[in-house]
């Protein structure tokens, strides 16, 4: 009985000491906070870039699918075919290679001369990566809209672009909003590989602490917990969003 | 040369699969201002293809279409300008589900005719009053019955002040008890002198409202004439067979 109490007390003191060592001493929690900030920065920037790229690629690809058969040969058809080809190559390459490899190519090869701008390089790499997935989400959203909507728009006198902007995109966007939000959540976790280029993100924060205190358990557990809480928070938001969208469907 | 007809279709062909399917096979047709032309014929005879060619929703393989004297099939023409003058009503209504009724009606006048929201809404409400749906102005399409949706689709087209209205089986997707309310709106339009081209299986409507009936089969116009000629005095065997089935 006595021995048991002693060991619990020892264990508790030990735990407290490791906690203080890992997070309080030298203000080490700041390493996690700074990392968290960068994780958010990269995720947010990459999401915005991804949506921009994804919308452009989705528009090219669905315009091609919807109009190419009815188009007369000419420069318009040539340009559209050209951009469609580029878009599908982009999708194939990005979705066919690991994001970590893409990040390292961006950092060590393409942007090597600007290596000190790690955050920016990570935003670009993850943004280009995410754009490929966003493109397919948006394209499926556009293709899921009944063709009668296109025809109604065109029959009123709207041109192709106006029909997309006023009629198709608002409906498609509503349909794909949850999927886009999920892409954001995936990206939060995916950016953890940016510690490979030495970017001080949340994961790297934990890594730095581990290398300084020589204890792995607590800093890594803390990192995992923080990711979990963030992901659960945003997943909850997506669920609420989905419910609201469903309710507003009159 | 075709200035006297509102629409003049000349030797129109629409082929699919490299000519294996001739949805339209040399169709020529004139539609005059104020005329109600009703297109009838068996399934697959090319009625929809003809109607949808008139505003180039289907691009013909060859032939030409003159609208108000302009060859709209000629290269480099801005079809969107002409489509503003050719309203279309679809079998499945195709209302915009993300917009309220009033927004469905005012979107095109505001964006394409440059009307202010105020003016566009005022005109839309007048149109809604004519089809007895003014109280539904701020409802959404999914809150309406099929008959109400199709009446909205008609006034949405009218909001652009078109010179002709094209109808592709406007009552085929409706429950029987709602067919009448839509046909009544179309009759009112005909009485007010609207030029209309109507594909329909409603022979009663064709007989009562049509100025001219076009009977199509296998991508061709087989016979055309007044309702009396078509329904009472024809000696065309194909038409007789068709009428025996539908009447
Ligand atoms: N996209 C297409 N590809 C191949 N064939 C087509 C296509 N669209 C129409 N067709 C064919 O063209 C012919 C005419 O079709 P259309 O839809 O104009 O007939 P319809 O008279 O309107 O028939 P319904 O009364 O059934 O609506 C049919 O044989 C149809 O199968
Ligand atoms: Mg049809």
């Amino acid at each position: 009985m006595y021995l048991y109490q002693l060991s619990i007390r020892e264990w508790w003191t030990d735990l407290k000491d490791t906690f203080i060592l890992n997070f309080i001493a030298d203000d080490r929690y700041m390493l996690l906070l700074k990392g968290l900030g960068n994780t958010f920065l990269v995720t947010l920037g990459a999401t915005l870039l991804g949506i921009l790229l994804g919308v452009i690629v989705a528009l090219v690809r669905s315009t091609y699918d919807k109009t190419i058969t009815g188009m007369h040969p000419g420069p318009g058809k040539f340009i559209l075919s050209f951009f469609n080809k580029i878009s599908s190559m982009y999708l194939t390459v990005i979705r066919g290679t690991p994001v970590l490899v893409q990040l390292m190519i961006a950092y060590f090869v393409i942007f090597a001369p600007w290596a000190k701008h790690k955050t920016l390089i990570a935003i670009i790499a993850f943004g280009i990566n995410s754009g490929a997935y966003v493109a397919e989400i948006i394209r499926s959203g556009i293709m899921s809209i009944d063709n009668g909507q296109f025809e109604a728009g065109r029959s009123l006198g709207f041109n192709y672009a106006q029909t997309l902007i006023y009629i198709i995109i608002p409906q498609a966007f509503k349909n794909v909003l949850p999927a886009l939000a999920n892409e954001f959540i995936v990206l939060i976790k995916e950016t953890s590989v940016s510690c490979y280029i030495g970017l001080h993100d949340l994961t790297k924060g934990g890594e730095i602490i581990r290398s300084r205190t020589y204890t792995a358990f607590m800093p890594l557990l803390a990192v995992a917990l923080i990711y979990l809480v963030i992901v659960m928070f945003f997943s909850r938001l997506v669920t609420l969003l989905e419910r609201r969208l469903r309710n507003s469907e009159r | 040369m075709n200035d006297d007809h509102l629409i003049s279709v000349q030797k129109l062909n629409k082929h699919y699969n490299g000519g294996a399917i001739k949805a339209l096979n040399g169709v020529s047709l004139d539609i005059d201002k104020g005329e109600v032309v009703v297109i009838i014929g068996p399934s697959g005879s090319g009625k929809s293809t003809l109607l949808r060619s008139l505003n180039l929703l289907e691009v013909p393989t060859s032939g030409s279409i003159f609208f108000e004297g302009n060859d709209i099939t000629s290269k480099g023409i801005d079809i969107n300008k002409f489509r503003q003058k050719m309203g279309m009503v679809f079998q499945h209504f195709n209302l915009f589900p993300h917009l309220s009724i009033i927004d469905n009606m005012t979107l095109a006048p505001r964006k394409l005719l440059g009307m202010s929201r105020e003016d566009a809404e005022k005109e839309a409400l007048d149109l809604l009053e004519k089809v007895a749906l003014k109280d539904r102005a701020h409802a959404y399409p999914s809150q309406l019955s099929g008959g109400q949706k199709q009446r909205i689709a008609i006034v949405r087209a009218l909001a652009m002040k078109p010179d002709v209205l094209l109808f592709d089986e406007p009552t085929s997707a409706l429950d029987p008890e709602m067919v009448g309310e839509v046909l009544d709106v179309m009759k009112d339009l005909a009485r007010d002198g609207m030029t209309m081209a109507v594909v329909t299986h409603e022979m009663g409507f064709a007989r009562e409202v049509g100025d001219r009936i076009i009977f199509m089969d296998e991508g061709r116009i087989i016979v055309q004439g007044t309702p009396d000629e078509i329904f009472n005095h024809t000696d065309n065997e194909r038409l007789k067979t068709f009428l025996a089935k539908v009447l």
Side-chain angles (χ1 to χ4, degrees):
Chain A
M1 192 62 184
Y2 177 70
L3 210 70
Y4 172 71
Q5 282 187 345
L6 184 75
S7 68
I8 285 207
R9 194 175 303 151
E10 260 178 9
W11 176 79
W12 176 245
T13 334
D14 205 43
L15 198 71
K16 217 167 73 182
D17 288 348
T18 346
F19 186 88
I20 291 173
L21 173 71
N22 277 301
F23 303 124
I24 312 292
D26 293 342
D27 285 343
R28 295 215 167 95
Y29 70 96
M30 284 302 294
L31 292 166
L32 291 182
L33 275 187
K34 183 177 171 209
L36 184 62
N38 280 332
T39 289
F40 271 125
L41 194 62
V42 171
T43 306
L44 218 68
T47 303
L48 293 180
L49 180 60
I51 288 179
L52 182 72
L53 277 173
V55 167
I56 293 171
V57 170
L59 286 182
V60 168
R61 305 242 310 147
S62 45
T63 302
Y64 180 89
D65 289 349
K66 277 198 186 286
T67 62
I68 200 73
T69 47
M71 265 174 112
H72 296 292
K77 187 169 185 167
F78 178 79
I79 292 171
L80 184 56
S81 301
F82 176 75
F83 279 108
N84 184 58
K85 194 87 208 141
I86 301 248
S87 299
S88 64
M89 270 165 56
Y90 162 68
L91 295 179
T92 310
V93 170
I94 294 299
R95 296 191 304 164
T97 53
V99 64
L100 176 54
V101 177
Q102 294 164 16
L103 177 68
M104 296 210 295
I105 290 177
Y107 181 71
F108 293 111
V109 183
I110 301 174
F111 299 114
W114 300 280
K116 65 172 190 280
H117 302 289
K118 286 181 177 152
T119 314
L120 195 60
I121 295 174
I123 286 175
I124 293 173
F126 285 109
I128 289 176
N129 178 269
S130 174
Y133 297 92
V134 170
E136 289 304 86
I137 293 172
I138 292 184
R139 186 168 84 106
S140 74
I142 290 176
M143 294 315 245
S144 74
I145 304 298
D146 179 46
N147 206 40
Q149 294 289 309
F150 260 102
E151 295 191 337
R154 298 309 301 272
S155 76
L156 285 166
F158 287 114
N159 64 28
Y160 180 83
Q162 291 169 322
T163 307
L164 275 180
I165 293 167
Y166 297 129
I167 295 157
I168 306 301
I169 304 237
Q171 297 181 56
F173 194 68
K174 208 172 121 180
N175 289 348
V176 301
L177 208 53
L180 285 180
N182 276 325
E183 175 62 22
F184 175 78
I185 292 174
V186 168
L187 211 49
I188 294 175
K189 292 177 285 173
E190 234 170 33
T191 55
S192 72
V193 299
S194 42
C195 54
Y196 271 86
I197 64 167
L199 176 75
H200 186 158
D201 74 333
L202 177 58
T203 308
K204 183 77 177 177
E207 265 296 285
I208 297 172
I209 296 176
R210 187 184 65 85
S211 67
R212 289 193 189 155
T213 61
Y214 300 104
T215 53
F217 173 73
M218 231 181 240
L220 293 185
L221 191 77
V223 167
L225 265 177
I226 296 173
Y227 277 115
L228 187 64
V229 167
I230 297 170
V231 167
M232 282 171 65
F233 172 77
F234 282 108
S235 301
R236 179 89 196 118
L237 275 189
V238 173
T239 314
L240 288 177
L241 182 75
E242 275 176 324
R243 194 171 305 155
R244 278 202 56 170
L245 287 177
R246 217 170 318 130
N247 288 345
S248 73
E249 219 152 72
R250 302 164 216 234
Chain B
M1 66 189 217
N2 297 290
D3 289 348
D4 30 349
H5 300 297
L6 185 70
I7 295 177
S8 178
V9 177
Q10 291 169 6
K11 300 199 188 73
L12 208 63
N13 288 296
K14 174 71 179 183
H15 296 174
Y16 289 107
N17 302 348
I21 300 173
K22 294 186 166 67
L24 293 180
N25 193 356
V27 171
S28 297
L29 167 73
D30 295 327
I31 299 175
D32 288 330
K33 205 167 176 315
E35 212 182 2
V36 177
V37 173
V38 180
I39 303 167
I40 62 173
S43 182
S45 57
K47 307 181 296 292
S48 296
T49 309
L50 173 59
L51 193 82
R52 291 158 52 83
S53 295
L54 297 181
N55 65 354
L56 293 198
L57 277 190
E58 303 285 355
V59 181
T61 311
S62 65
S64 32
I65 300 163
F66 290 84
F67 175 66
E68 297 180 339
N70 307 287
D71 183 356
I72 56 172
T73 52
S74 68
K75 250 190 137 181
I77 204 141
D78 180 12
I79 185 61
N80 301 312
K81 278 271 168 261
F82 293 98
R83 282 192 181 131
Q84 293 179 11
K85 296 268 130 211
M86 311 168 100
M88 188 166 231
V89 176
F90 301 86
Q91 181 175 353
H92 295 287
F93 330 125
N94 298 350
L95 296 180
F96 306 134
H98 63 300
L99 299 178
S100 65
I101 298 311
I102 191 91
D103 287 344
N104 261 272
M105 294 177 65
T106 55
L107 182 68
R110 280 169 45 219
K111 303 293 179 189
L112 295 172
L113 305 179
M115 286 176 72
S116 69
R117 180 182 284 276
E118 211 185 354
D119 291 348
E121 290 193 349
K122 198 174 155 297
E123 290 191 5
L125 288 173
D126 288 345
L127 284 167
L128 282 173
E129 184 142 44
K130 282 197 184 137
V131 293
L133 285 171
K134 197 171 177 181
D135 55 326
R136 308 299 281 154
H138 296 285
Y140 279 77
S142 63
Q143 298 169 314
L144 303 183
S145 72
Q148 291 175 329
K149 281 183 195 162
Q150 197 60 300
R151 279 142 69 198
I152 297 299
I154 293 172
V155 286
R156 179 178 70 179
L158 285 175
M160 288 297 284
K161 305 187 188 75
D163 294 338
V164 58
L165 272 187
L166 313 172
F167 295 82
D168 191 1
E169 303 202 22
T171 57
S172 294
L174 296 177
D175 292 336
E177 73 269 20
M178 295 175 182
V179 170
E181 64 191 64
V182 171
L183 291 182
D184 284 344
V185 170
M186 293 169 63
K187 283 176 202 169
D188 286 347
L189 283 174
R191 201 172 306 129
D192 292 347
M194 174 59 81
T195 312
M196 294 159 58
V198 186
V199 173
T200 186
H201 294 296
E202 296 290 331
M203 294 304 146
F205 175 85
R207 199 194 290 259
E208 186 187 338
V209 186
D211 294 312
R212 184 152 48 108
I213 315 291
I214 311 265
F215 172 64
M216 291 186 71
D217 199 7
E218 296 178 346
R220 296 168 182 275
I221 294 178
I222 306 296
V223 268
Q224 50 178 308
T226 63
D228 187 46
E229 286 163 358
I230 294 288
F231 289 109
N232 304 329
H233 303 291
T234 187
D235 45 15
N236 183 288
E237 283 308 319
R238 279 208 250 182
L239 176 55
K240 275 189 194 163
T241 318
F242 173 73
L243 289 177
K245 274 189 210 148
V246 295
L247 286 180

